[in-house]
């Protein structure tokens, strides 16, 4: 009998390949070195470390460099071996790493911010270093001279950043839950629009320039996909986490979104399906099903001699309903609801069993994940966080990328 070939192993879950320990405080960023058995990490202990795997299979720091202030963020450009480190004191410091990853050389310091740097992007095409900080600003600087080119201030901390290298558009998420889209120029800028959808601080952004999709994760435990290229304001809400979402990566080849949360939850979303946009919540003075008044509708309460009810909303149709008319709960993955949510009784009857089939897979990283980086060509992911541990994962069973041949299990 012919053997059946499965495209992915049936025990589809991330496989922990290596665990790196050594930092004395929280690890704020970790990056896989392309085509190398190596990882670069920065942390609150003021160190920059380059870890290379030895013949023993263990990772040892080939570079251990201490700076003057805690390292809060990092941007690494592999072709030039340039690395930009954001610090708690507001500075961005540039270094150059040697070809053999055994030496790090100071290049220059950029006076980027007045307080903690939250994110950095290096754009070699326009020779800019763009950064956001807790001084409520985004700044862009010349990578040749180190001089400041421009700055824009927001009403709250700027927490995350993405940049389109072709169009020079910057996406900045902040602690108020907003995302601001700016068009940057050499010494000027313009605000294009503001995206509002999250109910908590935006902790992570990911921009896919090919499909012109922006993904955002926030402290409200949700992820939103913004269809920027469609120009119709289409958004998709994805709810599949129990804690704040802190890191995102979209894999264009397989059309999957990987999101990581503070509680260690790793969710892989299938974005290669037709999804429905959530409805706008309707407002009403009475239940739109049974017409009983809500508690602020004093006139109808008096006329009908009834006690007002609390208002809820059906997540499927968006109608304002009372508790009695929305007693059912259901998942509805096609609209992004991977956990059970409130739906009105009428909508509950229309949801078929196949409609409840999950469109995401859920995995446990078993440590706080503050930052994640993926190498989709090898199917590898690195995670790090406040527990001072760095973990390297083989994600090929989950995302279907090519085999991670250069990394081996412990």
């Amino acid at each position: 009998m012919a053997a059946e070939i499965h495209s992915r192993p049936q025990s589809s879950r991330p496989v922990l390949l290596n665990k790196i320990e050594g930092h004395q405080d929280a690890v704020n960023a970790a990056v896989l070195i392309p085509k190398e058995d190596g990882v670069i990490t920065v942390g609150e202990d003021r160190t920059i470390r380059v870890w290379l795997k030895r013949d023993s299979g263990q990772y040892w720091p080939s570079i251990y460099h201490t700076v003057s202030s805690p390292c809060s963020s990092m941007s690494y450009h592999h072709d030039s071996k340039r690395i930009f480190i954001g610090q708690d004191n507001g500075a961005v410091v540039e270094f150059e790493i040697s070809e053999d990853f055994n030496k790090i050389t100071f290049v220059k310091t950029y006076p980027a911010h007045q307080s903690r740097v939250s994110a950095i992007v290096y754009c070699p095409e326009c020779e800019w270093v763009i950064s956001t900080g807790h001084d409520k600003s985004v700044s862009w600087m010349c990578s040749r001279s180190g001089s400041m080119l421009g700055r824009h201030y927001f009403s709250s901390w700027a927490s995350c950043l993405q940049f389109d290298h072709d169009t020079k558009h910057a996406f900045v998420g902040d602690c108020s839950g907003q995302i601001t889209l700016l068009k940057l120029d050499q010494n000027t800028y313009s605000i294009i629009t503001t995206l509002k959808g999250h109910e908590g601080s935006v902790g992570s952004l990911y921009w896919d320039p090919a499909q012109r999709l922006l993904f955002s994760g926030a402290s409200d435990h949700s992820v939103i996909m913004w269809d920027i290229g469609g120009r119709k304001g289409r958004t998709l809400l994805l709810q599949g986490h129990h804690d704040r979402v802190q890191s995102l990566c979209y894999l264009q080849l397989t059309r999957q979104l990987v999101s990581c949360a503070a509680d260690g939850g790793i969710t892989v979303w299938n974005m290669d399906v037709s999804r429905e946009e959530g409805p706008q919540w309707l407002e009403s003075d009475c239940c739109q099903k049974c017409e009983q008044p809500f508690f602020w509708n004093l006139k109808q309460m008096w006329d009908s001699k009834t006690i007002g009810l609390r208002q809820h909303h059906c997540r499927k149709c968006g109608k304002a309903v009372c508790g009695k008319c929305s007693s059912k709960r259901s998942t509805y993955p096609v609209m992004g609801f991977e956990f059970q949510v409130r739906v009105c009784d009428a909508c509950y009857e229309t949801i078929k069993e196949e409609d409840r089939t999950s469109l995401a897979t859920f995995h446990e990283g078993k440590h706080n994940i503050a930052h994640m980086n993926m190498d989709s060509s090898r199917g590898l992911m690195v995670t790090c966080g406040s527990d001072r541990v760095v973990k390297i994962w083989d994600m090929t069973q989950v995302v279907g990328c090519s085999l991670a041949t250069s990394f081996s299990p412990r």
Side-chain angles (χ1 to χ4, degrees), residues 147-158:
S147 61
M148 180 70 69
L149 298 174
R151 188 194 301 273
H152 171 73
Y153 283 94
F154 304 92
S155 59
S156 59
W157 282 1

Side-chain angles (χ1 to χ4, degrees), residues 291-338:
E291 300 185 350
Q292 288 294 305
F294 293 131
F295 63 83
W296 60 83
N297 189 351
L298 299 179
K299 184 180 184 305
Q300 189 176 341
M301 286 166 58
W302 178 263
D303 292 343
S304 60
K305 302 295 187 293
T306 56
I307 298 175
L309 304 174
R310 184 182 174 189
Q311 178 184 261
H312 301 283
H313 284 92
C314 172
R315 301 306 193 269
K316 188 174 185 293
C317 67
K319 288 184 177 179
V321 290
C322 67
K324 187 177 179 181
C325 294
S326 58
S327 59
K328 302 289 197 302
R329 303 289 185 274
S330 177
T331 60
Y332 196 53
V334 73
M335 206 174 274
F337 299 118
E338 292 288 342

Side-chain angles (χ1 to χ4, degrees), residues 250-265:
Y250 179 66
L251 307 174
Q252 193 201 349
L253 186 65
T254 56
R255 301 207 174 189
Q256 291 170 293
L257 174 70
V258 181
S259 57
C260 297
D263 62 357

Side-chain angles (χ1 to χ4, degrees), residues 175-225:
C175 289
S176 74
Q178 295 187 165
I179 302 165
T180 305
L181 171 56
L182 305 100
K183 175 73 167 68
L184 306 184
D185 215 328
Q186 194 67 20
N187 296 108
T188 62
Y189 70 93
S190 57
I191 298 176
I192 306 301
T193 189
T194 302
L195 307 176
K196 300 177 181 179
H198 286 291
E199 296 178 359
S201 172
V202 182
S204 179
L205 292 173
Y206 192 90
W207 169 246
D208 176 51
Q211 291 186 273
R212 303 194 66 74
L213 300 174
L214 178 70
F215 298 90
S216 59
S219 62
D220 59 9
H221 307 177
S222 71
V223 176
I224 297 179
M225 186 201 84

Side-chain angles (χ1 to χ4, degrees), residues 238 275 331-338 355-360:
L238 305 173
R275 290 181 176 269
T331 60
Y332 196 53
V334 73
M335 206 174 274
F337 299 118
E338 292 288 342
D355 295 333
R356 296 186 175 93
T357 303
S358 178
L359 297 177

Side-chain angles (χ1 to χ4, degrees), residues 78-140:
H78 183 63
D79 291 343
S80 64
K81 302 294 189 296
R82 297 169 83 176
I83 185 169
F84 302 84
I85 308 298
Q87 295 185 295
D88 191 61
N89 62 9
V92 172
V93 186
E94 179 185 347
F95 296 91
E96 187 172 318
I97 298 176
S98 62
E99 287 292 329
D100 61 2
F101 298 100
N102 283 311
K103 183 181 178 183
I104 189 168
T105 305
F106 170 79
V107 178
K108 65 171 74 75
T109 299
Y110 300 82
H113 299 277
Q114 298 301 310
S115 58
R116 188 178 180 90
V117 181
S118 56
I120 308 171
V121 172
Y122 169 56
C123 178
E125 292 85 359
C126 47
E127 297 183 311
W128 288 355
V129 178
I130 309 125
S131 63
T132 54
H134 286 185
D135 59 356
K136 305 179 182 179
S137 75
V138 57
S139 61
W140 54 108

